[in-house]
Every structure is written in C-alpha cells, then in structure tokens.
Amino acid sequence: MDKLIQADGQPNYGIFPAAPGLINYRDFDFRSPMGRRLGGVAKWRRFHQFQYFGLLGSELIGGCALANLSLVGVGFVYLFHPASGRMIERQFKLPLGLGTSFSQSPDAGICELRQGRNLLRLENRSDTGEKRLLVELDDGTRIDASFSEREPAFQPMCICTPTAVNGWVYAQKVAGVTCRGQVRSALGNFDLAEIGAFAHHDWSAGYMRPETNWNWACLSGLADGLRVGLNLSCGVNETSFTENCFWLDGELIKVDTVRFTFDRDQPLKTWSVASHDGQVELTFIGEGLHEERLNLGFIASNFKQVFGRFSGTLRPAGRTPVRIGSMWGFVEDQYVKW
C-alpha cells in the first residue's frame, strides 16, 4: 500500500502485512461531527504523531519519545540502572513544534527534536528495515541504538482503526527484537549487544479522540529459548480491530481484548494484565517510573510510564505455553486532552 488515505479521502482500515508508504493525512476528508468539511488548519491542528524507542535489559532500561501535537512538540529520554536504582531523565517542550521535524513515512525518514546542544533523533530506513535511535545531550549522555526487522525476519503489527465519530489512528508496533549499539552516560558505558538488550518501537499517527486515555503493556526478552515480545493496550486502537499481540521468534500472534487491573495512585505496585481469550495472563511489578504532567487548559497530559518485571504465561492457541519469569518491560497509564 503506497498511501494510507485512498482517493475518496477515506483511510484503509484493518491489520496490514506491511506499513503504508506514506501517512498522507492531508488527503483525508476530515469532517466535523455534524458533517461539515474541515480545511487545512483543522487538519493540522487535530493531527498528532508520536514515535517511541525503548531499551530493555537486566543492566539498563531506557526510553525515548518524540511527539508532534501541532501546538507543541514534546520529547523525553531516560535511562535507568537497575543494579544501583539510579536514573537520569530529560524532558523537552517546544511551542508550535519549533526545532522539530517529523516524517510521515513509518518505515522511512527522520523524526527529530533539537534544543540547544540536545538532540533526540529517530531514523527509519526502508532499504534495510533498520530503526535507529540517536540521543546527544548537553551533559555528555549519548545513546546510539538500532535493530533491524529483517535480521532475523520480524512481522510488525501494522493497524489502522476508526476513532470516535470523525477520526482514525494508524499504529505500527515492534517488540522482542535484539538491539545493538552504545550508551554513554553518568550511569556508565554499555555495549547493548554485549549486555543482551532488547528493543521496542512504536510509530503512531492520526486523528485521535480529543480527550482520551489508555493503558499499555510491552515486554521484550528471552523465554523458553524464544525471543518474546508483547504489545497490549486498552482504550485506544480497538474500534473494529485491536493492536493486541505477542511475538515468538518474530512471528506475530494476535490477541483478543485485554484488561488492566492496577492502583492508579500507586503505579509501582502490582498490575494484572489478562486477555479475554486466555492467551495472556501476566502480573507486573514496577521498579521505576517516568512521569509527566502538563495542563495548559487547551492541552493536558497526565502520563506515567512504569518499567519493571513481568511474570506469568503466554498461551498461543494449539501450542506449548511460554513461561514468562521476571522479564523486563513497560506499562503505561495516560490521560491526554489535545
């Protein structure tokens, strides 16, 4: 599929075997809830896009995100050292996205944020299937991490769902892939391949609900001799289709709707994550937290991303269950008004 939006101005919906070449949102026939056709300013204002790259390993946890929210560009990066409990993190907010640029091609192009001597850059290459994260901060922190969806072969989750009365969301998820590269920081220097790090990647864009919330879970690592990844959500991307799935050695296995049970006021305590079809039954205990709050009236966010360990069982239909024992991963609890 060359473009997500068809000639009639409507998106292709469903789960796709590969990413569209372009998320051509400007061609969308965007209407008000009452059916009035909306112009270029409304299309720009309501379109939101974000990309996330996560690192998971017993010696180092990390995350970096960039988001284009039209009226503001935001980014964050953090590193957590499990052995010492030490963490470094930075947040950036740029009015009108000045200092940011975003490609609308999920498998090609660059999304980046620059502020002073700080750079957050996510690069996707269609020729090699490579996803790369480059972070350079004014305190000397440097992250250069990458993985390929082709070595070995990996099947990403590519999905587009209708959202509310007049929107849609395209999402592309990867988890359970080995990661290579280097990290230099106040927490120490790390060779990601040597420490056995895994990666998670998320590329999402569209016309999301003006006020929304979601929970999300992801893990990546080795279990029962398999490379295992997991991507589950509740609250978004589940109208007609869901993005819920896990991967075994790169093979995508679809999962039904899921339920998150947790204490919103104490996010480091135990979470329960279970799917309706019985394929997923996991508990999660947090060891660290990245959180942000923003309330400007017209735009607001209450965001908690918790990193910690999952335990439990994955039960692919007709196959031997996979035991998950103390595997590193993430959960999220997020409210957004945009």
Side-chain angles (χ1 to χ4, degrees), residues 28 30-31 36-45 207:
F28 176 44
F30 190 31
R31 304 291 183 102
R36 179 172 59 87
R37 182 172 278 111
L38 301 174
V41 172
K43 290 183 183 181
W44 165 79
R45 171 66 183 91
Y207 291 86

Side-chain angles (χ1 to χ4, degrees), residues 154-157 173-176 200 218-219 226-231 243 245-253 314:
F154 184 91
Q155 182 183 358
M157 165 58 74
K173 306 293 183 80
V174 173
H200 162 75
C218 170
L219 60 76
L226 301 169
R227 298 187 313 279
V228 178
L230 175 86
N231 179 82
E243 66 178 64
C245 63
F246 58 85
W247 292 269
L248 301 178
D249 281 343
E251 177 191 358
L252 187 153
I253 298 171
L314 303 179

